[in-house]
């Protein structure tokens, strides 16, 4: 970790925030999505330089507190007319428009943040809205609702605009993020727009999207505007003017307030005792589902339990409970899944069990994985926290056991037997789960939680997979292509399907996983042991879990199946340690 980056985060960590950040023991691979090879690249270069990169006033749409509301956030310039106003109509000429007025707050230097909520939306309806920037009303933008009882969502992982810095494109140039042009952000914004358009072309009927964090890449402090060009690239796509996105705070978003200025999240949990600079967790409902978004850059899990308690007490009867956070406590990427990504596993797993969470959506590790159904093993395990160096700055290479105060390394030197043993102790301490399901991809009233980790939606950065697949992972994939998932939900079933984008074509890379329910809450059961495989766990459990359905387990479909195999093979022979220092994150 570079000293300058540590200094930036010192004040954040003093408030109890622990963030995995820009540089660690490992680095991004040489694989990334090179936009310069696209036929539309030349026109984009001019567009980026002349308008996109300097337009910080793009609007963002966020789900409201329920399906009848929609939240808006955007910048306008300080000193111009402060007009946090959205007009909503059912006619394109706006003749029947209703006016909704919101609030403003100071943002980065020279700008204010406008936030407005519109209400009274009806399902399967077409609307038009305008918003005011610097006192000038925009042109009408079309927005259409879908069914409130049966709906689809897109799920994206780590767009991370700007993360391709250091990579070399087809022209021979190395991408950078320090100049006024920011060629890394230019590359990734192009690919983000392309991924969105391809996903929406295949799924024009989605109601909204979810992003598992790291919308941008550059860690800057407080109200430093250094990442605003990346936010401009993230918010640029025209699709986002009509597609609400529920985002979470990633470690690259967390140190800076711009996240909170751009996104108007509903039901922000301001009671957090250890929030990040970027803001708080939040929650909302849509149809028969409760969505809770945790800010896991905050290592104080009492805050996360308090948020889940509040959200579930207010919405006790929703059939589905879906939680999203950035760090992958059950993932399979080499960079984070067995280091800072799983630091909160022993604390969060029993909390997620307690509140009967059906699905957890994760990011952070720039690789795809789907877990078996998991729940806590009921045993006592260590609890971990961020370690600090003597000067108070964040220690990116070690974790601390909160009870014993023992410092344990994430990345031990193989020649240091003591460090290797300490790391093994950390890994052993995180064996805090029981596998409650089998290889079935269709389950009925199951026990346990499904954990999904998304790969990069843009291809701005990819990581290797761990050399050995963890026993809790049912399927994983790294084919070096941008990907997205489609979530479908109604009163009877939840399903998730994941796709990769290669040469503008979409291919499914994993079996569709489906949960069917006939009850809202599944009664808890106690399991006895953590098995080394799903079969072992099923045989050693002292209680009977609900029977599952279809036992078919497809390991990948479509044209990218071969790429998936190649990706796994590459993960088995290459180590990120060999690339240490080659590419700074």
């Amino acid at each position: 970790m570079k000293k300058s980056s540590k200094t930036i985060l010192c004040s954040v960590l003093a408030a109890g925030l622990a963030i995995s950040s820009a540089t660690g023991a490992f680095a991004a691979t040489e694989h990334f999505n090179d936009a310069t090879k696209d036929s539309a690249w030349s026109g984009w270069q001019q567009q980026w330089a002349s308008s996109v990169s300097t337009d910080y006033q793009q609007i963002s749409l966020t789900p409201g507190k329920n399906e009848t509301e929609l939240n808006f956030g955007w910048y306008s310039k300080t000193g111009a007319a402060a007009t946090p106003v959205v007009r909503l109509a059912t006619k394109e000429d706006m003749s029947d428009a209703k006016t909704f007025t919101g609030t403003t707050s100071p943002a980065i230097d020279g700008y204010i943040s406008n936030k407005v909520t519109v209400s009274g939306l009806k399902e399967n309806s077409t609307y038009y809205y305008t918003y005011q920037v610097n006192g000038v009303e925009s042109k009408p933008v079309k927005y259409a609702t879908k069914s409130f009882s049966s709906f689809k969502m897109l799920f994206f992982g780590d767009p991370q605009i700007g993360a391709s810095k250091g990579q070399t494109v087809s022209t021979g140039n190395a991408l950078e993020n320090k100049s006024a042009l920011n060629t890394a952000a230019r590359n990734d914004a192009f690919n983000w727009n392309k991924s969105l358009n391809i996903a929406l072309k295949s799924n024009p009927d989605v109601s909204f999207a979810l992003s598992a964090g790291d919308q941008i890449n550059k860690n800057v402090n407080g109200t430093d505007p250094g990442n605003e060009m990346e936010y401009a690239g993230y918010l640029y796509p025209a699709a986002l003017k009509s597609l609400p996105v529920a985002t979470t705070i990633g470690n690259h978003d967390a140190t800076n307030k711009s996240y909170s200025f751009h996104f108007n999240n509903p039901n922000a949990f301001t009671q957090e005792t250890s929030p990040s600079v970027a803001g708080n967790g939040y929650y909302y409902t849509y149809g028969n589902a409760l969505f809770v978004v945790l800010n896991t850059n905050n290592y104080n899990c009492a805050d996360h339990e308090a948020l889940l308690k509040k959200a579930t007490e207010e919405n006790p009867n929703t059939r589905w409970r879906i939680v999203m956070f950035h760090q992958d406590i059950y993932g399979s990427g080499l960079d984070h899944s067995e280091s800072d990504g799983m630091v909160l596993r022993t604390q969060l797993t029993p909390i997620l069990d307690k509140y009967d969470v059906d699905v957890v959506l994760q990011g952070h590790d720039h690789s795809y994985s789907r877990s078996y159904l998991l729940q806590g093993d009921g045993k006592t395990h260590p609890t971990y926290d961020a370690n600090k160096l003597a000067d108070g700055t964040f220690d990116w290479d070690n974790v601390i056991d909160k009870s014993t105060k023992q410092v344990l390394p994430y990345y031990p030197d193989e020649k240091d037997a003591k460090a290797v043993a300490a790391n093994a102790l950390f890994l052993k301490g995180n064996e805090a789960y029981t596998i409650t399901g089998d290889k079935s991809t269709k389950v009925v009233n199951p026990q346990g939680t499904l954990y999904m980790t998304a790969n990069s939606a843009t291809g701005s950065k990819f990581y290797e997979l761990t050399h050995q697949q963890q026993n809790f992972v049912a399927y994983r994939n790294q084919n070096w292509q941008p990907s997205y998932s489609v979530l479908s939900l109604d009163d009877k079933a939840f399903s998730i399907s994941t796709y990769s984008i290669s040469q503008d074509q979409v291919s499914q890379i994993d079996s569709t996983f489906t949960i069917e329910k006939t009850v809202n809450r599944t009664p808890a059961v106690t399991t006895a042991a953590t098995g080394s495989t799903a079969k072992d766990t099923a045989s050693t459990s002292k209680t009977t879990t609900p029977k599952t359905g279809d036992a078919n387990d497809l390991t990948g479909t479509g044209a990218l199946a071969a790429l998936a195999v190649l990706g796994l093979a590459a993960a088995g022979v290459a180590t990120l340690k060999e690339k240490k220092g080659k590419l700074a994150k």
Side-chain angles (χ1 to χ4, degrees), residues 32-36 38 41 44 161 164 185-197 457-460 482 501:
F32 79 110
N33 199 6
D34 182 358
T36 66
D38 195 280
W41 176 250
W44 169 250
I161 307 302
S164 63
R186 181 181 65 180
N187 181 84
D188 304 339
F190 179 93
N191 289 326
W192 171 230
N193 181 58
K194 188 173 181 179
S195 292
L196 277 168
N197 289 335
T458 60
S460 63
I501 302 170

Side-chain angles (χ1 to χ4, degrees), residues 44 47-56 180-182 186 228-230 232-233:
W44 169 250
Q47 186 179 3
W48 173 261
S50 63
S51 59
V52 177
S53 63
T54 56
D55 184 1
Y56 299 167
L181 194 58
N182 193 333
R186 181 181 65 180
E228 286 293 348
M229 191 178 297
E230 296 174 348

Side-chain angles (χ1 to χ4, degrees), residues 77-96:
K77 292 183 178 179
T78 303
T83 47
V85 174
V86 171
R87 298 176 68 229
L88 185 73
T90 61
K91 298 179 180 179
E92 190 171 5
D93 65 6
M94 305 300 291
S95 59
D96 63 346

Side-chain angles (χ1 to χ4, degrees), residues 77 83 86 112 127 193 201 225 335 431 433 465 480:
K77 292 183 178 179
T83 47
V86 171
I112 63 172
Y127 296 94
N193 181 58
K201 182 179 180 180
D335 265 48
E431 293 180 2
Y433 57 90
L465 294 167
W480 321 118

Side-chain angles (χ1 to χ4, degrees), residues 253-265:
D253 308 300
T255 62
N256 181 260
K257 290 186 177 181
S258 289
Y259 174 93
S260 65
F261 297 149
H262 283 293
F263 302 112
N264 184 8
N265 294 332

